[in-house]
Amino acid sequence: MSEQKIDNPLTVTLGHEQLIIRRRYEVLSILNDFMVALWFLAGSILFLWPMQETLAKWFFVIGSAQFLVRPLIRLFSYIHIKRLPESHWQQ
């Protein structure tokens, strides 16, 4: 079986260009990790100003919650639900 059939890339047409996303779950995981890093970096910077500590704490909470998303993405990458054709389930 070819990788294209396994991966089923997402293609988005933007004018004369096409954005092709392969290995969607890996891309989601990378984007999630990037967002976690941004939340923690912003929280760390905000801790430099005592008046911003509450906001900094919330950024850490959001970043920590996003750490829960990582295993969910991995789990969903292994579990796929495929809709069967209508003719298959009407028999």
Side-chain angles (χ1 to χ4, degrees):
M1 189 177 281
S2 73
E3 185 176 330
Q4 185 161 349
K5 286 187 177 182
I6 294 171
D7 182 38
N8 193 17
L10 175 66
T11 304
V12 179
T13 302
L14 306 166
H16 296 290
E17 307 287 330
Q18 278 190 331
L19 174 65
I20 300 171
I21 301 173
R22 292 184 172 80
R23 302 176 72 179
R24 287 186 239 178
Y25 292 107
E26 188 171 339
V27 170
L28 280 174
S29 182
I30 292 167
L31 290 174
N32 182 66
D33 289 348
F34 183 74
M35 290 301 301
V36 167
L38 288 178
W39 289 122
F40 277 90
L41 178 62
S44 298
I45 291 170
L46 288 174
F47 258 111
L48 297 173
W49 294 277
M51 291 183 64
Q52 299 299 326
E53 284 183 10
T54 301
L55 183 58
K57 290 174 188 175
W58 277 109
F59 281 6
F60 286 130
V61 169
I62 293 168
S64 298
Q66 263 192 276
F67 273 129
L68 291 173
V69 173
R70 183 187 300 177
L72 288 174
I73 293 170
R74 287 189 61 214
L75 179 63
F76 288 134
S77 74
Y78 290 106
I79 299 172
H80 296 277
I81 297 176
K82 181 178 180 181
R83 183 174 299 275
L84 295 174
E86 193 173 315
S87 60
H88 184 349
W89 52 270
Q90 286 186 346
Q91 294 179 4

